[in-house]
Amino acid sequence: MPTFDVPSGLRADHLHAGPSFADAVAPRLGIAPLEAPLGWLADLPRAFTQREIVIMSIEEAYALRRPAFIKSPNDKSIRALVYPDGSRLPGPDAVDPQTPVLVSDVVTFDAEYRLHILEKTVHAGSQYAENGQLKLGPLSTSASRFGADLLAECGHTLPTAIVVDVGTTDGRWAVIEANAAWASGHYAANTDHVLDVVLRAAGPAADVAAHDRPFIRVPGSSATPSAGDT
């Protein structure tokens, strides 16, 4: 589909696309894309992140006077960068001041892996970066083990199909971020196993299990995080 327009008569049960396309198309096709809660990364125990992460409105982030890694929780509306301070963020003329952002301590990841999660298990995965550069490779045993430990403690806070990126920083394993499986690349992972995750992550709304219903993406959602999220 070259545009966001749904041709008359088109039927589809699943999608794999970016957030803007999904927001425009999924509701018309009766597809329910699943994603992690906006504040999921910030709510993880420090043992799984190895850094401080807070979710706040971009209006609050303007007041930051220190370097921080800042990004949108579930899409690319705010460019993911290390900002010298909050004054370098897109201004209110470009972004709704209530747009939520994740503000993180600045860390360097030595190796990075993508885990495709299905039913609280690592269903597929691969390495995708080393020292900040693209480097594809197999999923390491230690990355898979860290993913299993994460899911054992926090798997109930995620939909049944999701992507979680993890990596090592100063020799310690940490969660990098969660991404919607329907909007994520597979890198070097087994494509059939990745497809299992994608189909579950964006399927017919009528088939969504009770556990996953709170994780259905709301098109264009930019709700301000509550005090409990921070």
Side-chain angles (χ1 to χ4, degrees):
M1 294 177 62
T3 72
F4 290 4
D5 295 325
V6 178
S8 177
L10 177 71
R11 298 186 63 183
D13 291 329
H14 307 274
L15 62 77
H16 187 277
S20 296
F21 185 92
D23 285 351
V25 171
R28 302 180 211 171
L29 295 176
I31 295 173
L34 307 179
E35 65 181 5
L38 294 179
W40 181 77
L41 190 61
D43 289 339
L44 284 179
R46 182 71 173 260
F48 287 119
T49 63
Q50 305 299 333
R51 62 202 189 278
E52 182 182 30
I53 307 169
V54 179
I55 186 168
M56 62 180 68
S57 69
I58 196 171
E59 184 175 43
E60 293 173 292
Y62 291 149
L64 291 171
R65 291 299 175 261
R66 60 176 175 84
F69 180 77
I70 303 174
K71 67 181 292 291
S72 298
N74 285 333
D75 55 39
K76 309 298 182 185
S77 60
I78 305 299
R79 192 177 179 190
L81 288 173
V82 174
Y83 291 85
D85 59 58
S87 69
R88 305 300 180 89
L89 288 163
D93 57 329
V95 180
D96 185 329
Q98 299 308 307
T99 299
V101 292
L102 289 168
V103 178
S104 169
D105 288 341
V106 179
V107 298
T108 300
F109 285 96
D110 310 307
E112 300 172 50
Y113 297 82
R114 173 154 291 176
L115 310 178
H116 296 263
I117 309 301
L118 186 63
E119 295 283 3
K120 299 183 185 179
T121 64
V122 178
H123 194 64
S126 71
Q127 180 175 340
Y128 66 87
E130 185 174 278
N131 296 320
Q133 301 297 316
L134 181 68
K135 183 176 181 179
L136 303 185
L139 179 65
S140 72
T141 301
S142 52
S144 182
R145 186 182 302 117
F146 176 71
D149 291 343
L150 170 71
L151 294 169
E153 185 167 337
C154 305
H156 66 284
T157 65
L158 288 168
T160 56
I162 193 73
V163 160
V164 176
D165 293 342
V166 302
T168 54
T169 175
D170 293 330
R172 298 171 299 178
W173 282 99
V175 176
I176 299 172
E177 62 182 359
N179 290 293
W182 46 266
S184 297
H186 74 282
Y187 293 119
N190 180 290
T191 52
D192 288 338
H193 290 177
V194 169
L195 185 58
D196 292 337
V197 181
V198 172
L199 294 178
R200 174 73 67 84
D207 295 344
V208 176
H211 170 83
D212 283 333
R213 291 200 173 278
F215 302 105
I216 297 175
R217 179 179 173 88
V218 177
S221 175
S222 59
T224 306
S226 66
D229 292 328
T230 58

